């Protein structure tokens, strides 16, 4: 049986190595925020899920989002983009911002059995045996898992008082560690 060597990749990082990469600490500029405001205004009459990248115009931010898509596919596989002033927008506007930005990064897919393409992660207070109970709508800690998509995006509107942290792991580093 042929032995497979370790995978050499920008996505083969461990812990702090990811946090030290420049793409892990990106922040929106004033110009990019102005573009978001304009895109919200222009698409305000459209249903969120009908907004396309061409309708949600982001002249300078689009370049960064294309670069982020490339980093997700060919680089570290993870990016932290900060600076969306969540207090400035309504929840509908924030969903519009998230959908519009992500339409420049990839194609949205269903997040639930109900076909939702934007899913809010929050404690809905469902009982233990309620059939509507899923991990992301309870206060239970989720175990490590993968999501069934190439890219997953989160927009934190209101951090939890307790818990709610995300942990990111490089599957390539996991493979390399198992291989060792």
């Amino acid at each position: 049986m042929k032995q497979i060597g370790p995978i050499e990749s920008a996505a083969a990082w461990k812990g702090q190595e990811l946090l030290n990469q420049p793409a892990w600490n990106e922040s929106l500029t004033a110009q990019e925020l102005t573009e978001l405001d304009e895109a919200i205004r222009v698409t305000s009459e459209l249903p969120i899920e009908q907004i396309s990248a061409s309708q949600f115009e982001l002249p300078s931010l689009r370049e960064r989002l294309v670069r982020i898509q490339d980093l997700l596919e060919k680089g570290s596989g993870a990016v932290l983009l900060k600076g969306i002033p969540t207090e400035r927008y309504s929840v509908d506007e924030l969903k519009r911002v998230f959908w519009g930005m992500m339409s420049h990064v990839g194609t949205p897919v269903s997040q639930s059995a109900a076909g939702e393409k934007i899913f809010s992660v929050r404690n809905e207070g469902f009982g233990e045996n309620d059939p509507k109970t899923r991990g992301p709508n309870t206060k239970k800690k989720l175990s490590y898992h993968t999501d069934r998509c190439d890219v997953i995006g989160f927009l934190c509107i209101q951090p939890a008082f307790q818990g709610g942290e995300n942990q990111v792991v490089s599957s390539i580093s996991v493979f390399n560690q198992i291989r060792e």
Side-chain angles (χ1 to χ4, degrees):
M1 180 184 233
K2 184 178 178 182
Q3 177 112 9
I4 299 172
I7 298 173
E8 301 289 332
S9 167
W13 44 262
K14 292 181 183 175
Q16 193 68 30
E17 293 171 7
L18 174 64
L19 305 182
N20 293 333
Q21 294 186 23
W24 184 252
N25 199 14
E26 299 218 13
S27 294
L28 294 173
T29 66
Q31 171 64 34
E32 292 167 337
L33 291 173
T34 298
E35 290 175 12
L36 287 176
D37 291 341
E38 180 62 13
I40 290 169
R41 189 189 66 71
V42 168
T43 63
S44 65
E45 299 301 317
L46 293 172
I48 290 172
E49 291 192 11
Q50 290 181 12
I51 297 171
S52 66
S54 62
Q55 294 163 316
F56 204 83
E57 292 184 48
L58 302 169
S60 62
L61 180 52
R62 178 178 45 80
E63 293 174 28
R64 185 199 297 248
L65 295 173
V66 168
R67 188 170 42 79
I68 286 172
Q69 180 194 41
D70 189 61
L71 287 167
L72 294 172
E73 295 288 334
K74 301 174 192 155
S76 67
V79 174
L80 177 64
L81 179 59
K82 299 187 285 188
I84 295 174
T86 56
E87 69 287 345
R88 177 157 114 190
Y89 302 118
S90 69
V91 171
D92 179 73
E93 289 170 330
L94 286 166
K95 286 181 179 180
R96 193 169 296 278
V97 162
F98 186 68
W99 182 276
M101 288 176 62
M102 295 303 99
S103 69
H104 289 271
V105 174
T107 303
V109 296
S110 173
Q111 297 296 305
S112 69
E116 298 165 289
K117 291 185 179 175
I118 293 182
F119 182 82
S120 295
V121 176
R122 65 173 169 244
N123 182 8
E124 298 287 356
F126 298 131
E128 186 90 17
N129 297 318
D130 191 317
K132 294 178 281 195
T133 300
R134 287 182 56 208
N137 66 12
T138 70
K139 62 182 179 179
K140 288 183 175 179
K141 182 177 182 175
L142 295 178
S143 60
Y144 284 112
H145 65 280
T146 59
D147 290 289
R148 296 179 182 169
C149 55
D150 292 340
V151 173
I152 186 163
F154 291 98
L155 172 62
C156 184
I157 295 174
Q158 181 179 356
F161 290 118
Q162 178 180 344
E165 296 88 6
N166 282 308
Q167 296 178 331
V168 183
V169 177
S170 164
S171 58
I172 294 174
S173 289
V174 170
F175 170 84
N176 286 343
Q177 189 69 42
I178 291 169
R179 186 197 159 278
E180 270 183 36

